[in-house]
Amino acid sequence: MSTAHRFLSPAATQLSLRLRQSRAPIRNTARRFGDKAPADKPSATATKEASTANSVSSPPPPPPSATAQASAEAPKSQGWWDSAEFWGRCGAIAGWGMSGAAIYDALESSPEVISLNMTGVLIVPNQMRRALEYKQANGEEEAVNDILVKAGATAAGAVACVLAGPTVQSALVAANIPLVSAVAAADAGPFTVHFWAPMSKWLISGASFMELDRPTEKISLAQYSALTMTGFFFSRYALLVTPINYTLCSVNVALFGSSAWHLGRKVKADFIDEKKE
């Protein structure tokens, strides 16, 4: 017993012992060897400061260079077979070849080579004039008059269609006829140049089909070479554009087939059969 307890009464000593026993035991926080120290939970302020420091210390990733962007956006290179630009240019050159063939025939070929059906479709005034003069000199006055009447009627019909086209189109669209109104209002319908451009090639093909038995001595090698190449080039071009233009493809396939028929007959007669003889 301590010195303080010696001077206390027995009752006071007993009360002091009871108070000591009633106190809650103190938690033993001593760590044994090998125990891990408990991790202190960081405060909200410390967490915010740490995130701010990280954002400042780590700079944002650099933007991609212009070269990388260009290489990523650049389309894959296409070969000539799949290039619409290549076939379109070839078709344009062949189209100029048709004009060149007409000039060549006008300067070098005799008038009997001129096809009136083809010349009328291609609208080559000088060749038409030469053909009519040739027929007139051979006494074919009735045939010449018939051609002039047909040409005049065709020209008058074309002018009437051009002048009345907008009025007729508006009337058809306003009528709300299920199929007719939709066709009349179409961006590539019969009231637009997009419709008549391939249609003119159907007329060229028709002129060739009407003369499948034309004598080979009256076939222009230059003209049918240009027509055959035009049909071939634009047939491929029509399948490469977006969207695919099946109408343009079909008309050029017909042009290629009809022109190649005449060209093959001409080549066979002039360069194969003559050599055999």
Side-chain angles (χ1 to χ4, degrees), residues 140-166:
E140 300 181 28
E141 294 287 344
E142 186 176 351
V144 171
N145 293 332
D146 183 57
I147 293 171
L148 292 176
V149 170
K150 290 180 180 178
T154 302
V159 172
C161 289
V162 172
L163 295 177

Side-chain angles (χ1 to χ4, degrees), residues 51-67:
S51 62
T52 304
N54 290 335
S55 62
V56 172
S57 60
S58 59
S65 61
T67 306

Side-chain angles (χ1 to χ4, degrees), residues 11-132:
T13 303
Q14 187 176 5
L15 179 61
S16 175
L17 292 175
R18 288 181 179 177
L19 290 175
R20 285 190 176 186
Q21 293 176 356
S22 63
R23 290 177 183 176
I26 300 174
R27 184 179 178 182
N28 185 14
T29 58
R31 290 186 291 112
R32 292 173 298 178
F33 181 78
D35 291 345
K36 294 182 178 180
D40 294 334
K41 184 177 180 181
S43 62
T45 305
T47 304
K48 185 175 180 181
E49 291 177 355
S51 62
T52 304
N54 290 335
S55 62
V56 172
S57 60
S58 59
S65 61
T67 306
Q69 288 182 346
S71 60
E73 297 176 358
K76 296 182 179 180
S77 59
Q78 296 179 339
W80 62 271
W81 180 253
D82 297 322
S83 174
E85 182 179 0
F86 171 79
W87 292 102
R89 288 183 177 179
C90 291
I93 294 173
W96 280 105
M98 294 168 59
S99 301
I103 296 173
Y104 174 81
D105 289 338
L107 297 175
E108 301 293 335
S109 302
S110 56
E112 63 268 15
V113 176
I114 300 173
S115 170
L116 290 176
N117 292 331
M118 187 64 68
T119 303
V121 171
L122 295 176
I123 312 177
V124 186
N126 184 56
Q127 293 290 75
M128 180 65 74
R129 177 188 60 78
R130 292 181 65 213
L132 294 178

Side-chain angles (χ1 to χ4, degrees), residues 103-241:
I103 296 173
Y104 174 81
D105 289 338
L107 297 175
E108 301 293 335
S109 302
S110 56
E112 63 268 15
V113 176
I114 300 173
S115 170
L116 290 176
N117 292 331
M118 187 64 68
T119 303
V121 171
L122 295 176
I123 312 177
V124 186
N126 184 56
Q127 293 290 75
M128 180 65 74
R129 177 188 60 78
R130 292 181 65 213
L132 294 178
E133 289 177 351
Y134 176 77
K135 286 184 174 295
Q136 194 171 15
N138 290 334
E140 300 181 28
E141 294 287 344
E142 186 176 351
V144 171
N145 293 332
D146 183 57
I147 293 171
L148 292 176
V149 170
K150 290 180 180 178
T154 302
V159 172
C161 289
V162 172
L163 295 177
T167 303
V168 175
Q169 182 184 19
S170 301
L172 291 176
V173 172
N176 289 327
I177 304 172
L179 181 60
V180 177
S181 297
V183 172
D187 294 335
F191 294 94
T192 65
V193 69
H194 305 290
F195 175 84
W196 291 104
M199 183 58 65
S200 64
K201 286 194 173 183
W202 278 115
L203 298 177
I204 297 174
S205 301
S208 294
F209 282 122
M210 290 174 62
E211 299 178 330
L212 290 178
D213 57 347
R214 183 177 177 83
T216 55
E217 63 270 11
K218 294 184 177 181
I219 294 177
S220 170
L221 182 63
Q223 183 184 63
Y224 279 98
S225 296
L227 289 172
T228 302
M229 298 307 293
T230 300
F232 175 74
F233 290 142
F234 278 114
S235 296
R236 180 59 182 162
Y237 170 81
L239 297 177
L240 297 176
V241 295

